Amino acid sequence: MRRTPVRLLGRPAAAAVAATVMLGLLTPAPGASGAEPAAPAASSESTATVFYYTKTKNWSSYRLHYAPDGGSWTTAPGVTMEAACTDWVKQTVSLGSASGLAATFNNGSGVWDNNAGKNYALGAGSVTVKDGVVAHSDPCADPGTEPESGNTASVYYSTATVGWTTTNLHYQPAGGAWSTVPGVGMEPACTGWVRKSVDLGTATSMLATFNNGNGVWDNNNGSNYTLPAGLTTVKDKKVTGGAKDPCAAETPDTQAPTAPAKVSASADGVSVVVAWEPATDDRGVTKYQVTRTGGTKGTLVSDVGSTVFSDTGLEAKTAYSYTVRAVDAAGNVSAASAAATATTGEKPTAPASGKPLGTDPRKDPIYFVLTARFNDGDTTNDRGGSQHTKSGNAANDDPMFRGDFKGLVEKLDYIKGLGMSAVWITPVVLNRSDYDYHGYHGYDFYEVDSRLESAGASYQDLIDAAHAKGMKIYQDVVYNHSSRWGAKGLFTPKTYGVRDAQWSWYYDERNDGFEYDGLTVETKSGKSYYNGDLWSTAEPSGNTCVNWGTPTQYTSPEGYRIYNCQWPNPTSGMFPKAYYHNCWIGNWEGEDARSCWLHDDLADFNTESAPVQNYLIGAYDKYIDMGVDGFRVDTAVHIPRTTWNRRFLPAIQERVTQRFGTEAAKNFFVFGEVAAFVNDKWNRGSVNHSAQFYTWKERKEYSADDGKAALEMYDYEQQQGTGSQPTSTNAFLNGNDYHAPDHSRFSGMNVIDMRMHMNFGDANNAYSNGKDSDDSYNDATYNVVYVDSHDYGPNMSSERYSGGTDAWAENMSLMWTFRGIPTLYYGSEVEFQAGKKIDCGPTCPLETTGRAYFGDHVAGTVKASDFGTVSSASGAVADTLAKPLVKHVQRLNQIRRAVPALQMGQYSTEGITGSMAYKRRYTDTASGTDSFALVTVSGGATYTGVPNGTYKDAVTGDTKVVTGGTLTVAAPGKGNLRVYVLDLGGRNAAPGKIGTAGPYLK
């Protein structure tokens, strides 16, 4: 688990250490030849004029503390900056032969801006630093006058999707020369738009690229933009010549907008979906008004922000009529469109509530969603929280809590249509934090967060709806920590917020009658969703916090003094040892990594304490009783294995067995996040911090005291070392034969395959590393395998995987046919947010990250007739389903479902040549299943010593007859694969070609 902190204590970095900032994500390609623009020749004595934005600081003095690249730092606090123009100060420094500098800023009196501890990395020339954003321009330069030749290009550029605070236009009039990199600054025009007018001289058009002045470019995917004279808009890479001014005020119009077109209504059981085409006028329709008549429920009028409306819970066998009107921003309503009518069918039999499906989890590919970011089914439970404006989310109308269970229920058919039959959702318990949409700041572990639920779409409703479609729900659970406000029902520190001159913007006014629920705004202050903080100028009775209310040496990012006990921390004395550990982690591969705090907003439970164990076991029993199909365990490595093996894992098994029986308990899937961000088999040689370690039971007795036992086990296993750990053949074939796995030493916890995840920069590398570790897991066929997630990409990258479509296809082909359970982070099927930073907390808008809102991509209607098969789709979701990787994953799922060896089989590479080639087999005498398959991904392969017989390829339908134990397969090409299945007749007959050829499987 990686959690970006919400609030860091500001202080200058050590002068001798300068942070490195990676710049230049995209490179411009101007000119017909595609060559980069020539950079100005470097002189032997370059300078940098550093401009610093003052408006949000209001310091009385500004100092620049800097070090040229490769040089020494100035003496703290640095040199005084001089007034430049309104809201700016500047300082010109000599860089010598350096091409840039590291810098921090301060007020000369101990208040620093050091880029949250990383320092600023600045280049040469004119450089601006504004609210943490580095750009390249002179904010005080004379903007000049409009071009005078009369032949101009007025360019409007939309910043809504790129999220830049500074935009430059780099251009070349036809037949002329390119402007000097990075180009000319564009001026704000109106919300979401910047503009610049260029004198074209005698030219009638120009080539153009755009950039943020800090190395990030939009060059139309390397082709540059061709912009004509006159007014042109560029939005989402679409050029519109002769466009209207997007910032011009509209002329008041009292005429109603035109009506929507082609309204249709279709019934499915007792639900009706109404769809229509948007109104054709350009008057700015903002919503639609749907009116339903019929039945005994009376007339329904509902406002809808899309072109589809789902009407559920209707009467059976009843005719309903619907009319749709368009409504513009002024409230003008169109005339009614022609009514559409649908007649409902029989009311379906309600699925059994609160019972897991109970089948082998290896059959179910997993789709992982951040519920709050996936799809918004109910806007009334959307919440932005205290960081809504600061993060930039408000500007995008994108509250952090946006998606919900209703939105997920509405799109289960999309997930099923992909072929995924298990949905891993982020934690559902009530959270408490400034930025808690992801669910990992649990506050009330016995309460479902109301920001996720709606009328008719409770958590139970989601579980039941998934089960009715044959889909599982895996709940993300946290045993390691609570929010920094403690855990309701166990221990919560007292809150005494003080609203003085510095902190009134942050604290609520104290309101003893207010109880936090995440959804309700505190009534006294009327501005946030929680009440109070810890520090008070008057020490409360019963205080245990050391040095209550005295100032510290630290300041907030805003420059405000921080006081002792202002926020929770483990060494303050405010958290009882019976409930919480009282230390910070000092060594991530040390014993303290399992018994100390990760971060100040993740209060570390004393999981060796009986009250804590009982609290957590009781909480998660509730969700087991609701019928969830498994738990994904967050931060599992930060709890000793003895505690898992003694307390939590047996409690899970006992509860599932008690409620649903032994078979359900056997298939209740628990998989832990044992975060080992390394490329070797054992995490820096520490067995206690390696993923496979947690799949095993203990092998000796320890103290009856859980705290002592944890230390005894840690020391014993570290001394035993990596060479003395248990091994298993559960994932491997015996020659060509499947053998019954031995799970007698299984702990009850499976794990995420961190080693393959870390090495998925290249599929072949992930495959090689995965094989190398498989003898050290209890059973690697249960490993959860993914390329990237909500925390990291391969190689501990902080960005979503951006290896390209071909590489994604190859990764998927490997994951869907190799051992383990393929898992897809939401949106990866369309390379959603590829290359974007996954998580930057509230320091940037969610829309610009790997946790962006996905609902726009699945808007519309979709109906899945089976896993991997869509019977109908309309709207944006239909476009999404047409993407090449979607087609790829659909067919992979169809193939995997038809070949049991690919789901549950053991594997071997014995007698096989080929880079990613293996044989797999699964045998079950009880059902009479025997499935044997030969697989190669991308490259060719030769299999020797395999059973003779007829083999049929599930991709092409090709048939090969083996008589001498050898089968050779030509290379199918990157991302493609071959799956030759041995035809054993009867129920084990080879299926032949499965599905239709697509962009990769062909």
Side-chain angles (χ1 to χ4, degrees), residues 870-997:
V870 173
S871 57
S872 64
S874 65
V877 69
D879 296 332
T880 298
L881 288 164
K883 299 295 184 182
L885 285 180
V886 171
K887 297 297 185 185
H888 188 57
V889 77
Q890 285 177 316
R891 194 169 181 213
L892 283 171
N893 274 316
Q894 292 168 1
I895 292 171
R896 190 176 189 271
R897 286 183 177 278
V899 184
L902 301 183
Q903 302 170 42
M904 301 165 288
Q906 296 162 341
Y907 78 97
S908 173
T909 59
E910 180 184 355
I912 303 172
T913 61
S915 58
M916 287 185 284
Y918 35 91
K919 52 187 175 183
R920 298 194 65 185
R921 191 168 204 153
Y922 175 73
T923 304
D924 178 38
T925 54
S927 64
T929 300
D930 187 7
S931 175
F932 184 78
L934 306 176
V935 181
T936 183
V937 179
S938 296
T942 296
Y943 306 83
T944 60
V946 298
N948 292 330
T950 300
Y951 291 78
K952 296 180 181 179
D953 179 23
V955 178
T956 65
D958 179 53
T959 298
K960 293 183 183 293
V961 178
V962 175
T963 57
T966 298
L967 186 149
T968 299
V969 182
K974 190 175 180 69
N976 202 351
L977 78 155
R978 296 290 180 258
V979 182
Y980 279 90
V981 180
L982 178 61
D983 191 341
L984 295 171
R987 65 172 295 131
N988 297 310
K993 183 178 179 180
I994 301 168
T996 58

Side-chain angles (χ1 to χ4, degrees), residues 36 95 201 246 387 395 593 659 695 732 735 774 843 923:
E36 294 185 21
L95 299 179
Q387 305 296 307
R659 291 301 308 274
T695 66
F732 306 119
D774 283 355
T843 65
T923 304

Side-chain angles (χ1 to χ4, degrees), residues 125-448:
S126 294
V127 188
T128 62
V129 180
K130 179 179 180 181
D131 298 334
V133 177
V134 177
H136 295 266
S137 63
D138 183 347
C140 302
D142 183 356
T145 60
E146 290 294 311
E148 298 178 354
S149 73
N151 186 32
T152 64
S154 294
V155 182
Y156 284 80
Y157 183 74
S158 172
T159 60
T161 54
V162 294
W164 296 342
T165 55
T166 299
T167 307
N168 295 318
L169 168 65
H170 182 45
Y171 66 93
Q172 178 196 45
W178 281 92
S179 56
T180 303
V181 174
V184 295
M186 303 185 75
E187 304 93 19
C190 57
T191 303
W193 291 92
V194 293
R195 69 178 295 274
K196 188 66 180 178
S197 292
V198 174
D199 190 342
L200 296 179
T202 59
T204 58
S205 66
M206 66 178 180
L207 294 177
T209 65
F210 304 89
N211 65 87
N212 71 347
N214 202 23
V216 181
W217 290 76
D218 173 6
N219 60 10
N220 195 21
N221 296 326
S223 301
N224 302 329
Y225 292 98
T226 299
L227 308 181
L231 194 151
T232 303
T233 61
V234 181
K235 182 177 182 180
D236 296 333
K237 292 187 167 53
K238 179 182 179 181
V239 175
T240 304
K244 294 182 179 180
D245 184 341
C247 299
E250 294 189 6
T251 303
D253 187 354
T254 59
Q255 298 298 314
T258 57
K262 296 184 179 179
V263 178
S264 64
S266 58
D268 181 7
V270 291
S271 299
V272 172
V273 174
V274 185
W276 59 91
E277 292 185 0
T280 56
D281 68 329
D282 58 355
R283 293 198 62 261
V285 171
T286 59
K287 62 183 179 181
Y288 295 91
Q289 188 182 87
V290 181
T291 303
R292 178 246 288 153
T293 57
T296 61
K297 287 192 170 187
T299 301
L300 171 76
V301 179
S302 182
D303 289 339
V304 180
S306 64
T307 57
V308 64
F309 172 69
S310 296
D311 200 10
T312 59
L314 300 173
E315 299 162 68
K317 296 183 177 180
T318 303
Y320 291 94
S321 295
Y322 299 84
T323 57
V324 184
R325 298 172 173 87
V327 184
D328 65 15
N332 298 313
V333 182
S334 70
S337 69
T341 302
T343 300
T344 56
E346 296 282 356
K347 186 173 183 178
T349 302
S353 180
K355 183 178 181 181
L357 295 184
T359 55
D360 193 313
R362 293 174 296 179
K363 295 181 178 180
D364 301 299
I366 301 170
Y367 193 74
F368 171 35
V369 301
L370 273 70
T371 309
R373 307 303 303 157
F374 183 64
N375 186 53
D376 193 359
D378 179 5
T379 59
T380 66
N381 59 13
D382 293 358
R383 291 294 182 271
S386 65
Q387 305 296 307
H388 189 47
T389 300
K390 178 182 177 181
S391 64
N393 290 338
N396 293 321
D397 191 21
D398 183 29
M400 61 169 180
F401 260 101
R402 188 172 177 183
D404 44 43
F405 294 146
K406 183 177 181 182
L408 185 51
V409 168
E410 290 174 352
K411 301 305 173 186
L412 286 174
D413 266 35
Y414 168 74
I415 299 172
K416 183 172 183 176
L418 294 177
M420 317 297 281
S421 50
V423 186
W424 158 16
I425 60 173
T426 39
V428 305
V429 304
L430 177 62
N431 266 230
R432 190 171 188 182
S433 165
D434 288 346
Y435 215 54
D436 55 0
Y437 63 95
H438 43 60
Y440 297 100
H441 296 128
Y443 173 65
D444 188 344
F445 286 68
Y446 287 76
E447 184 72 21
V448 175

Side-chain angles (χ1 to χ4, degrees), residues 31 77 85 141 201 281 466 675 680 690 719 767 848 980:
C85 55
D281 68 329
D680 50 358
S690 299
Q719 291 171 9
Y767 169 65
T848 65
Y980 279 90

